[in-house]
Amino acid sequence: MNLNFRKFASALHFGALFVLMVGLTFLNLGRASAQSPTPIPYNTSGSTYTQDFNNLFTTVPANNTAVAATVLPPGFGFVESGTNANTTIRVDNGSSGTGDTYLFGATSSNERALGAYASGSLTSIFGAAFVNTSGTTLTSFTLSCTSEQWKDGGSTAAVLNISPFSYGIGNAGVLTLNSATGFTNVTGLDLKAKVNNTSADVTLDGNLAANRTVIAPVTVSGISWAPNQVLFIRWSDPNDPGNDDGLGVDDISFSASPPSDTTPPTVTSITRAAGSTNPSSATSVDYTVTFSEAVTGVDTTDFTVTTTTGSITGATVSAVTGSGTSYNVIVNGYTGTGTIRLDLIDDDSIKDVATPPNPLGGTGAGNGTFTGGETFTIASASPITGALLSEFRLSGPGSAGTGDSTDEFIELANTINASLNVTGWTITADVTTVTLSGNIPAYGHYLIAGTGYSLGTYAGANLTLSAGTDIPLNATLVLKNADGVMVDKVNGNGALVPTSSTTQYSYVRRLESGLPADTDTDSSDFNLVDISSTSSTVDVSGVGLLTGARLGAPGPQNLASPIQRNTSIAITPISIPGNGLAGTAVTPEARYVSKNSTIDPKGRLSLRYNIKNKSTTTTVTSMRFRIVAITAGTSSTAGVADIRAISSGEFATMPAMAPPFCKRRSLWCWRSPRYPPKRL
């Protein structure tokens, strides 16, 4: 009985051991190594992620060396199945016969490819994961890569191996790299062997053209990759008949995109610009054009001005600024009265920013035309006369001569022969608005200056900006009357380059006609004058000369400055006997004088004039002279004299020119344009 019991117990023990061993063997066959990767954030739709598996090692391990999977780039991983499944990855050149997941590459080379070599005891799935962090659902992805063969498994049963590609989209933690369902095959991205033999295994160089295939970009459309979902790309290496091939993937390029934009942009409105006055008596009006989405290609040729009532003619679109969905359009040049409307005429030149772009209203000229905008009523299309922004600068040298952004001034000129009441008028410069008050005498001036103004001894400010106020260099200056109607605008189109300097300079309207130029084109109306150059011509580079400047000086004027009296002052040239140097051709009103100093080594040209007070009632007590143009050339111009004005001494007093009275004065006694104009 005991013996039988022992035999039974022994048999029972053996049977239990047998069952246990079978169970262990079964579990081992189904084991998988869990190396599913942490997803790569995909932040921007349309952006491209690339991976070439290069330079993963500080020191490249020897062939057939197993290393930790952490060597892989972030987002990449593998899952192995079979009795030999493990959590390491093997570094090799294709010579190893061990089934495993590999980083293939030439011996000691840091240029690698991710792949696998399957066997009867190990298969591998390898790839990458991306998480959609772009904030929008993406509906397509594009992938390209290179298929490389590093081993040709030779046997009578060997075939050209394929590592199929598939992708899957799902929630993190639910879908994994080795999920049995939820993946879709894309054969155009499969890794395929190129070399096959039926004898022995052969080690190949996967970097050679004969052993590699460049897979052109394949776009997979119709997907729905929602924000925070994970997209897996993977290649599977099954155990093929005969000896397997070693295949790897390299040079991966991945991008994803939202749904294609096929909706064309449209004009949603054309309205009077914010702050506009309607009816308007200004010389220009501003419209705001709004589109349904961001567009490009908007310019003056896209618009036309339609007179809806009245007799307005000559209206043109002079400038278009803006971007995205909103643009500002300036209309000017008109005469007459009535109402005008800004229309957009579609010629397919305006497009959205989609890829490919959609033209306004869709393909075809005219289908995006918009004629339903607001109108402006023009009460008087004649320019408002009486005042101009005549001279300015928005920084200067300052009292120390080192530069001061508050050494700024704006001069306002009364251009009519009558007193001008400017109470309630404003000058706006970006966020700064200055309100004026008082009267400007006929042909007189009004001066606004910053707290660092350095020409106060020449002409003091009638109004000083408050402390801390600094007008930006690129500010647009807008003068409006008490009714809010724009009277003048300077630098509205950026024609006057923002300028700063440590020398005395300013922008001054051209005065060749005797009155400030006003063609509504800043670059034609204004000269940039600078005292620091030895040249009097435009765009000549001299020490300290501002780009595009003329030799000259700022000459700000205020309410107390002398008033232009062209109608009551007569200036006539005086004939000079002898005409100076013998044999020299000069006019009867000019003569050469021998040199006076090193200032005029070539001699001095004297021009003399009679100045007559023609008024029968007004006594002249002071005079202001300003040289506004010199038409002679520079010394480098053959046959043309290089003439510069010469500074004179100060004239503290002069006899009163009671009516009628004449006084003679020579040009060389006048103040040089290198200094502010002086009174005599």
Side-chain angles (χ1 to χ4, degrees):
M1 177 70 76
N2 289 338
L3 181 61
N4 289 336
F5 179 77
R6 290 191 186 96
K7 287 183 177 179
F8 177 76
S10 177
L12 179 63
H13 179 76
F14 176 80
L17 178 62
F18 176 78
V19 172
L20 179 62
M21 289 180 65
V22 170
L24 287 174
T25 302
F26 174 78
L27 291 174
N28 193 37
L29 284 172
R31 187 179 65 184
S33 57
Q35 297 295 316
S36 192
T38 300
I40 303 165
Y42 190 73
N43 298 323
T44 306
S45 64
S47 62
T48 300
Y49 171 87
T50 60
Q51 183 56 249
D52 58 13
F53 305 103
N54 293 346
N55 302 311
L56 299 179
F57 301 100
T58 302
T59 301
V60 179
N63 289 327
N64 202 25
T65 300
V67 298
T70 53
V71 72
L72 289 173
F76 283 81
F78 60 90
V79 177
E80 297 176 351
S81 299
T83 57
N84 286 345
N86 59 82
T87 60
T88 60
I89 189 167
R90 196 171 296 270
V91 178
D92 196 62
N93 65 348
S95 61
S96 173
T98 302
D100 212 341
T101 307
Y102 280 86
L103 281 171
F104 289 119
T107 302
S108 301
S109 172
N110 230 334
E111 195 278 315
R112 294 281 150 176
L114 174 62
Y117 172 61
S119 68
S121 57
L122 186 148
T123 60
S124 177
I125 296 173
F126 53 91
F130 298 87
V131 59
N132 181 2
T133 52
S134 69
T136 185
T137 297
L138 304 176
T139 57
S140 67
F141 73 85
T142 299
L143 184 67
S144 64
C145 59
T146 299
S147 171
E148 298 180 354
Q149 183 178 1
W150 288 88
K151 187 180 189 66
D152 173 22
S155 70
T156 56
V159 295
L160 288 170
N161 290 181
I162 295 176
S163 292
F165 171 85
S166 61
Y167 73 92
I169 299 173
N171 294 325
V174 177
L175 188 72
T176 62
L177 187 63
N178 65 326
S179 292
T181 60
F183 279 79
T184 302
N185 292 330
V186 181
T187 58
L189 292 167
D190 292 348
L191 307 180
K192 298 179 180 180
K194 299 182 69 176
V195 179
N196 186 40
N197 73 90
T198 57
S199 55
D201 289 357
V202 178
T203 299
L204 302 175
D205 184 349
N207 289 323
L208 297 180
N211 305 321
R212 68 200 310 260
T213 301
V214 176
I215 301 175
V218 174
T219 297
V220 179
S221 303
I223 68 171
S224 179
W225 185 17
N228 300 316
Q229 280 191 318
V230 177
L231 183 150
F232 289 94
I233 58 172
R234 71 182 189 182
W235 290 266
S236 303
D237 186 17
N239 182 26
D240 293 296
N243 294 348
D244 282 41
D245 299 327
L247 300 177
V249 63
D250 201 357
D251 303 324
I252 293 173
S253 177
F254 172 88
S255 64
S257 301
S260 298
D261 180 2
T262 58
T263 303
T266 59
V267 178
T268 58
S269 65
I270 298 180
T271 59
R272 295 182 290 270
S276 297
T277 300
N278 188 53
S280 174
S281 56
T283 58
S284 67
V285 292
D286 291 20
Y287 285 91
T288 297
V289 181
T290 305
F291 295 88
S292 60
E293 59 179 301
V295 295
T296 61
V298 184
D299 59 35
T300 58
T301 63
D302 296 309
F303 299 96
T304 186
V305 181
T306 301
T307 299
T308 57
T309 64
S311 59
I312 295 179
T313 59
T316 59
V317 175
S318 62
V320 176
T321 58
S323 61
T325 61
S326 181
Y327 288 80
N328 184 75
V329 180
I330 299 175
V331 175
N332 58 18
Y334 44 77
T335 59
T337 59
T339 56
I340 57 174
R341 185 186 69 231
L342 179 69
D343 296 336
L344 187 148
I345 307 302
D346 170 41
D347 61 359
D348 275 4
S349 62
I350 299 175
K351 295 179 172 64
D352 65 13
V353 294
T355 303
N358 300 296
L360 186 69
T363 303
N367 48 20
T369 294
F370 188 88
T371 59
E374 293 182 345
T375 61
F376 265 104
T377 298
I378 307 302
S380 173
S382 301
I384 298 176
T385 59
L388 288 174
L389 298 166
S390 52
E391 185 170 356
F392 73 96
R393 74 178 182 208
L394 302 181
S395 74
S399 58
T402 56
D404 184 348
S405 61
T406 64
D407 184 5
E408 52 195 352
F409 69 84
I410 301 171
E411 176 192 279
L412 177 63
N414 180 2
T415 59
I416 60 175
N417 190 23
S419 178
L420 180 65
N421 184 358
V422 294
T423 299
W425 287 39
T426 60
I427 296 177
T428 302
D430 285 358
V431 297
T432 301
T433 298
V434 180
T435 302
L436 313 181
S437 63
N439 294 279
I440 305 176
Y443 299 121
H445 298 81
Y446 190 100
L447 187 63
I448 302 100
T451 54
Y453 177 57
S454 63
L455 295 174
T457 57
Y458 174 69
N462 300 119
L463 187 153
T464 300
L465 300 177
S466 58
T469 300
D470 181 12
I471 300 174
L473 283 177
N474 61 349
T476 297
L477 306 180
V478 179
L479 174 66
K480 293 184 179 181
N481 64 17
D483 296 324
V485 177
M486 187 175 70
V487 178
D488 193 20
K489 177 188 285 189
V490 171
N491 208 30
N493 56 4
L496 305 181
V497 179
T499 301
S500 62
S501 177
T502 57
T503 61
Q504 293 291 354
Y505 77 96
S506 71
Y507 282 103
V508 58
R509 285 189 185 267
R510 300 170 65 94
L511 294 166
E512 285 91 330
S513 67
L515 289 174
D518 183 24
T519 66
D520 288 332
T521 303
D522 292 345
S523 57
S524 298
D525 291 341
F526 282 86
N527 282 327
L528 173 58
V529 295
D530 171 23
I531 70 170
S532 61
S533 174
T534 57
S535 173
S536 61
T537 60
V538 177
D539 294 328
V540 175
S541 179
V543 177
L545 177 65
L546 301 171
T547 303
R550 292 177 180 268
L551 178 62
Q557 301 173 79
N558 58 19
L559 290 172
S561 297
I563 295 172
Q564 191 246 69
R565 298 294 188 189
N566 289 350
T567 58
S568 58
I569 299 292
I571 301 178
T572 56
I574 301 173
S575 179
I576 304 173
N579 286 338
L581 304 177
T584 303
V586 294
T587 66
E589 295 80 30
R591 69 176 180 181
Y592 279 116
V593 182
S594 61
K595 68 178 182 178
N596 188 49
S597 67
T598 56
I599 296 176
D600 49 359
K602 302 298 183 181
R604 185 171 300 187
L605 178 65
S606 177
L607 304 174
R608 298 190 176 186
Y609 296 88
N610 273 328
I611 303 173
K612 180 178 181 180
N613 181 3
K614 298 192 297 181
S615 172
T616 59
T617 59
T618 304
T619 298
V620 176
T621 58
S622 65
M623 291 187 294
R624 180 183 191 271
F625 296 89
R626 187 173 196 177
I627 300 174
V628 297
I630 298 177
T631 58
T634 66
S635 57
S636 62
T637 305
V640 181
D642 180 3
I643 297 177
R644 320 286 177 87
I646 300 173
S647 301
S648 74
E650 297 290 340
F651 288 82
T653 61
M654 65 166 284
M657 294 176 62
F661 185 84
C662 289
K663 185 174 183 64
R664 296 183 180 183
R665 185 62 62 202
S666 298
L667 171 62
W668 59 266
C669 290
W670 295 356
R671 194 72 168 169
S672 160
R674 290 175 61 89
Y675 301 93
K678 293 297 181 181
R679 301 180 189 178
L680 300 180

